[in-house]
Amino acid sequence: MSESAKSAMEAASNHLMLFLVLFLVSYTLLSLVVHKAPVFSAFSRESKKMMVSVASLLVLGVVAYCF
């Protein structure tokens, strides 16, 4: 394998890890906000989980677009 291919694979791996960590952090923070804020008290547990998942994916998408 050439040196440039190794470098490209390493860069892709680093980006993937960055996106994974960003997703986990945003999911955790949004989960805390949604479960603690009184605004969301009317929603069911499943709805809250879905909102957090979609919002985390949107955050990840915006960051990926900016890269």
Side-chain angles (χ1 to χ4, degrees):
M1 192 179 284
S2 69
E3 194 64 35
S4 62
K6 287 181 184 179
S7 175
M9 284 181 56
E10 186 177 325
S13 175
N14 290 341
H15 279 97
L16 185 61
M17 287 299 269
L18 175 70
F19 289 146
L20 178 64
V21 168
L22 181 66
F23 177 77
L24 292 174
V25 168
S26 66
Y27 186 89
T28 303
L29 292 176
L30 287 168
S31 179
L32 287 172
V33 168
V34 167
H35 290 295
K36 298 292 181 188
V39 176
F40 298 105
S41 63
F43 294 101
S44 69
R45 185 178 202 87
E46 292 80 21
S47 296
K48 289 179 184 179
K49 285 182 182 179
M50 184 61 71
M51 282 190 284
V52 169
S53 297
V54 169
S56 296
L57 288 174
L58 285 173
V59 167
L60 190 62
V62 167
V63 170
Y65 179 76
C66 292
F67 259 110

